[in-house]
Amino acid sequence: MYSIIVVSCLLFSGCMGWVEAGGRVLEGSAFAEKTLALYQNEAGIAVQVVQEKNGKQSLLITTDAFPTVTVRATEPTPEGRFYLSSLSFLCSSSSGWNEWTMELSGSGMFRGQYVIALHISSLAPLDITEGKILYNTKRLRDEEAIRSLRSRRDRIHTLVQWMHEQPDQPVYANQQEFESYWRPLLLPELYTAKHRPPSWSGEHAVFEQAEDINWNTNYTQAVFPQDIGTVRNSGTLLRDWEEAAGWIYFQYRWDDLVQVLTKEYNVTKLKG
């Protein structure tokens, strides 16, 4: 067992977790690394020492609280110092998946015999640098995927910021509760009249069709700021929700992830 002290993590990156049935397995990249050692604790924090196909070693830090998130760090120096390099994420839907990685800046220590202490002091996002998208039978890679993922990330960040500003929200125990609360408010046209919010009214409404849905632009204007309203009326919000609801939920819970990762943990060596 060793001691990891993450001294500083100044820049956040994206995330690509260990969803075994997800994108990395479908692409075959999940088998490109060999686990040399594994450290874990009862809180669900794990650190893997992996060897990449080119022989280079890395550290992978994961938590059960966010099973689709992986923090990658460099191999420790002889003095025990390592540097955070990326944070990756993968979310799936009925139509496919979004997988992306952002760069991560920070450093830490990997040393000692009995304790791993993980402490990330701050997280700030950078641009997505890698990614893949599967939508039904269509796959996007390389620059095409990166452009699409960056645009979606910007829209999700804007939406989530607005969500956090809304009053009287419940506490969501899981993604299902999150979706059950927000979907009728964001996309009431997908529901029957009795399940729509009181502020939605078809009387004297002006409708705009997109994605085969007639969007009530009066409701849009009354409830949403202009940037989100434009996305809603165009049907893009519907596509984001259908293809990346897990990403929206993850971004909504970003502060929770920070709280998990900024604690210190003791872990036990299970392999290697």
Side-chain angles (χ1 to χ4, degrees):
M1 194 176 318
Y2 295 81
S3 176
I4 295 181
I5 302 177
V6 179
V7 176
S8 64
C9 174
L10 302 179
L11 301 173
F12 161 64
S13 129
C15 17
M16 177 190 69
W18 302 119
V19 176
E20 294 298 329
R24 297 185 77 238
V25 173
L26 292 175
E27 293 294 311
S29 59
F31 308 105
E33 298 175 334
K34 177 182 179 181
T35 299
L36 303 178
L38 172 64
Y39 305 84
Q40 196 170 1
N41 68 7
E42 294 181 354
I45 301 296
V47 178
Q48 296 180 75
V49 181
V50 299
Q51 185 174 43
E52 302 173 21
K53 205 170 184 179
N54 59 8
K56 180 182 176 181
Q57 291 187 17
S58 299
L59 302 180
L60 301 181
I61 303 167
T62 59
T63 169
D64 286 352
F66 290 84
T68 60
V69 173
T70 299
V71 174
R72 182 179 292 270
T74 62
E75 179 182 9
T77 66
E79 296 76 27
R81 181 169 297 279
F82 68 83
Y83 298 90
L84 303 178
S85 56
S86 68
L87 197 156
S88 304
F89 176 76
L90 172 67
C91 77
S92 61
S93 69
S94 59
S95 59
W97 40 261
N98 293 258
E99 176 184 336
W100 46 264
T101 299
M102 291 181 183
E103 292 181 343
L104 183 69
S105 177
S107 63
M109 298 298 295
F110 190 83
R111 63 185 182 186
Q113 295 297 320
Y114 303 108
V115 176
I116 288 182
L118 177 65
H119 176 211
I120 299 177
S121 61
S122 61
L123 298 171
L126 291 178
D127 269 347
I128 291 172
T129 56
E130 298 178 30
K132 302 184 185 74
I133 299 172
L134 173 67
Y135 179 67
N136 293 328
T137 60
K138 183 179 181 180
R139 296 193 181 195
L140 301 183
R141 307 167 185 254
D142 304 324
E143 288 302 317
E144 186 179 12
I146 291 172
R147 285 195 300 271
S148 180
L149 289 165
R150 286 176 177 173
S151 295
R152 174 161 283 171
R153 176 208 57 194
D154 292 343
R155 295 193 300 270
I156 288 175
H157 282 199
T158 300
L159 176 63
V160 166
Q161 183 177 4
W162 174 82
M163 286 176 165
H164 279 300
E165 293 170 353
Q166 304 313 300
D168 303 323
Q169 291 186 52
V171 176
Y172 312 108
N174 49 47
Q175 183 176 333
Q176 183 178 359
E177 290 187 5
F178 175 82
E179 293 190 30
S180 295
Y181 179 83
W182 283 108
R183 192 171 185 267
L185 296 176
L186 299 175
L187 308 166
E189 290 80 1
L190 304 184
Y191 294 83
T192 59
K194 68 177 182 178
H195 293 108
R196 290 170 181 162
S199 54
W200 196 99
S201 173
E203 186 177 2
H204 307 302
V206 177
F207 291 95
E208 184 174 322
Q209 188 176 61
E211 298 292 324
D212 298 322
I213 302 291
N214 289 319
W215 303 104
N216 184 340
T217 58
N218 291 5
Y219 175 78
T220 300
Q221 185 175 5
V223 174
F224 302 98
Q226 183 176 358
D227 48 2
I228 298 176
T230 300
V231 171
R232 195 186 102 85
N233 289 340
S234 69
T236 304
L237 177 58
L238 172 61
R239 294 199 306 273
D240 287 341
W241 189 270
E242 290 183 338
E243 298 173 26
W247 185 352
I248 297 172
Y249 179 61
F250 164 70
Q251 188 61 49
Y252 185 89
R253 293 193 60 204
W254 174 250
D255 288 345
D256 296 332
L257 174 65
V258 172
Q259 288 184 6
V260 170
L261 293 180
T262 53
K263 297 178 182 179
E264 294 188 2
Y265 300 94
N266 296 340
V267 299
T268 301
K269 188 174 185 179
L270 303 180
K271 177 182 177 180

